[in-house]
Amino acid sequence: PKGDKDWEMRMRKECTQAGREFLYFHPAFPSKSVRLNPLKNWHNPTEIATRIAQLLPSEGGGDAFVQFAWMTIDRIVNGLLILGIRPDIQKIKHYTEAGVDEILDRLLDKYFLAVFGADWEKKLAAYTAKSPSRLHGKVTMYVQEGRRLQGNEVVDGLINTFTHDKEHFGKMILSLLPLLQMLTSGEMGELLSPDATNLNDKRPIYDMEKIVRGGKVLYVGLDSLSNKQVGSAIGS
């Protein structure tokens, strides 16, 4: 309780005597902490959107802002998974803030190759000539030709997000961005969205399945006295 040092040291001692590994996580002491990926383990991709959206303030189950946030996160997550990219909180924040253009662009490349074959770019030329950007041309080609041949639910969803009125979109995710910012700002981003390719960061990376299956003991400090909102979000 309240960062009690004796409590922590007693836990460490008991783990040593029991032959179990003690893992320490605390946002106030990032250099001592292990890194955790709370989004790594799931059975259905929709769980990822649910874990984040349930942290948003809501007036009830039918809150339109929470549902819109859930839908936005779910579309981003599914797009990343098809591209073979593991979702984390930082990536979700980036594509919520910057837009889904990059995901949609790469996804349409993959889709066109599968549906139209290696020469799909020749077909695209006619659409890009009349469009404000190459991506807009790809979207038009998908809507007019691709969807009719072989629709793709993930592509459809990302196109809806891409073409959504920017001003309205910004209003609908107004409560989502601060939450994502809390969970990715500064050291928090490295603790909760660990980058395994960063060889300069020697802190070990764990996820809940790895901890449970390994019989390890995880000590989680939330630093709620210093920052109640962030502590509550991490705990949830």
Side-chain angles (χ1 to χ4, degrees):
K2 299 183 181 179
D4 190 301
K5 292 293 180 186
D6 292 334
W7 175 250
E8 178 197 332
M9 294 309 297
R10 181 58 185 266
M11 289 184 69
R12 289 184 183 273
K13 182 179 178 181
E14 294 296 338
C15 285
T16 300
Q17 291 182 347
R20 296 177 66 178
E21 187 176 1
F22 177 85
L23 306 177
Y24 179 86
F25 178 90
H26 202 304
F29 306 101
S31 61
K32 290 174 55 180
S33 295
V34 298
R35 293 177 287 168
L36 294 175
N37 185 350
L39 302 184
K40 184 176 180 181
N41 308 129
W42 43 267
H43 297 290
N44 189 306
T46 56
E47 293 175 31
I48 297 177
T50 299
R51 286 179 202 173
I52 297 175
Q54 70 184 0
L55 304 181
L56 294 169
S58 172
E59 297 179 0
D63 192 305
F65 293 95
V66 174
Q67 291 179 349
F68 191 90
W70 186 95
M71 179 182 68
T72 300
I73 297 167
D74 189 59
R75 287 172 175 175
I76 291 170
V77 165
N78 280 294
L80 290 173
L81 289 173
I82 291 178
L83 293 174
I85 300 170
R86 185 181 296 279
D88 60 36
I89 303 172
Q90 280 191 326
K91 290 187 184 74
I92 291 170
K93 174 183 177 289
H94 170 74
Y95 290 113
T96 301
E97 207 167 32
V100 298
D101 303 30
E102 182 186 340
I103 300 176
L104 180 59
D105 194 38
R106 293 177 59 185
L107 207 57
L108 284 172
D109 286 353
K110 190 180 180 78
Y111 171 87
F112 288 151
L113 180 62
V115 174
F116 297 116
D119 292 334
W120 65 267
E121 294 214 35
K122 293 180 180 178
K123 183 184 288 290
L124 176 65
Y127 292 95
T128 53
K130 305 173 185 176
S131 301
S133 72
R134 181 177 169 83
L135 181 53
H136 280 87
K138 288 181 180 181
V139 168
T140 304
M141 178 171 155
Y142 171 82
V143 171
Q144 294 187 5
E145 292 195 48
R147 184 185 286 159
R148 172 169 51 84
L149 295 172
Q150 185 179 316
N152 184 292
E153 185 179 350
V154 176
V155 173
D156 287 338
L158 286 168
I159 286 177
N160 286 335
T161 298
F162 173 69
T163 57
H164 197 101
D165 180 77
K166 297 294 186 282
E167 184 177 349
H168 182 258
F169 182 83
K171 291 177 180 177
M172 294 303 291
I173 61 166
L174 205 56
S175 59
L176 175 60
L177 286 178
L179 170 65
L180 295 174
Q181 181 68 31
M182 277 195 292
L183 297 174
T184 58
S185 180
E187 291 279 3
M188 195 67 70
E190 296 175 359
L191 288 177
L192 293 177
S193 300
D195 180 5
T197 64
N198 182 7
L199 301 180
N200 294 320
D201 195 335
K202 306 298 183 184
R203 293 172 296 180
I205 299 174
Y206 286 92
D207 57 79
M208 290 306 166
E209 183 178 6
K210 188 176 179 181
I211 291 168
V212 173
R213 289 186 181 277
K216 304 178 191 305
V217 174
L218 175 66
Y219 174 102
V220 178
L222 299 178
D223 199 28
S224 293
L225 286 177
S226 300
N227 197 324
K228 184 179 179 180
Q229 273 190 305
V230 176
S232 177
I234 295 172
S236 296

